[in-house]
Amino acid sequence: MSKKKRWIVLVPLIIMATSGFGMWMLTSKWLEDGLKPKANGSNEYAIVLGAKVKQGQIPSLALRYRLEAALEYANTYHNVKLVVTGGQGPDEDIEEAAVMKEYLMENGIPESRIIVEDQSTSTYENLLFSQQLLPDSVTSVTIITSDFHLQRAKIIAEGIGWNADVVAAKTPQISEAKLRLRERAALLKTFVSGK
């Protein structure tokens, strides 16, 4: 291969590699930025984002970790009301929010502190439909979800007019690499579309 032809192939490869590395670094920063600001009980409402429910109405590990984080937060800040949010996916036999409410009540959170949003099928809908259940005066909320998911949720919350602080739930180790990789692509999509 001649020198000229080699450069014709090499230059696009260098550009793609550099762009890919740049996107990786950018999304890494975004994922880290999602962990702040940490919630301190100052918001009256905390939105707990849903995740998969297994057959038999069993929370997936990701959902259980989110619920454990919500439970700990609610037990620390007794003034906070929890909005559990998530509809029924095609492979679920019940709405995620119903399972979430049941879990929280079984673990001592009174029903009077739980608001149920059970129609949403995406992070955007989780937040938008939750917003419709809260007073118009609410301009700031706490978001409780998996650590890798927080930045995208914050971007969406900002897009619908909310400020947000966060509570990070841990991510199941078994699926962490896959989830983080998928979230990088979702972050770029949300950055462009706002959803």
Side-chain angles (χ1 to χ4, degrees), residues 102-170:
E102 186 68 26
Y103 177 94
L104 293 169
M105 288 177 62
E106 284 175 359
N107 285 279
I109 303 299
E111 189 172 11
S112 60
R113 289 182 66 194
I114 302 171
I115 299 167
V116 176
E117 184 291 300
D118 61 6
Q119 299 301 306
S120 56
T121 59
S122 67
T123 303
Y124 176 74
E125 288 182 356
N126 287 152
L127 293 165
L128 183 66
F129 295 174
S130 294
Q131 186 179 49
Q132 294 165 2
L133 298 175
L134 301 184
D136 291 341
S137 58
V138 174
T139 58
S140 185
V141 296
T142 296
I143 297 173
I144 302 175
T145 190
S146 304
D147 51 12
F148 71 88
H149 190 215
L150 285 165
Q151 182 64 8
R152 185 158 56 100
K154 282 173 35 184
I155 291 170
I156 292 169
E158 186 178 302
I160 63 170
W162 273 344
N163 292 317
D165 58 18
V166 300
V167 174
K170 62 185 177 181

Side-chain angles (χ1 to χ4, degrees), residues 11-32:
V11 168
L13 287 175
I14 291 170
I15 291 169
M16 285 190 315
T18 305
S19 297
F21 180 73
M23 288 296 180
W24 187 268
M25 295 304 292
L26 177 63
T27 55
S28 293
K29 181 180 181 332
W30 284 348
L31 289 172
E32 191 170 315

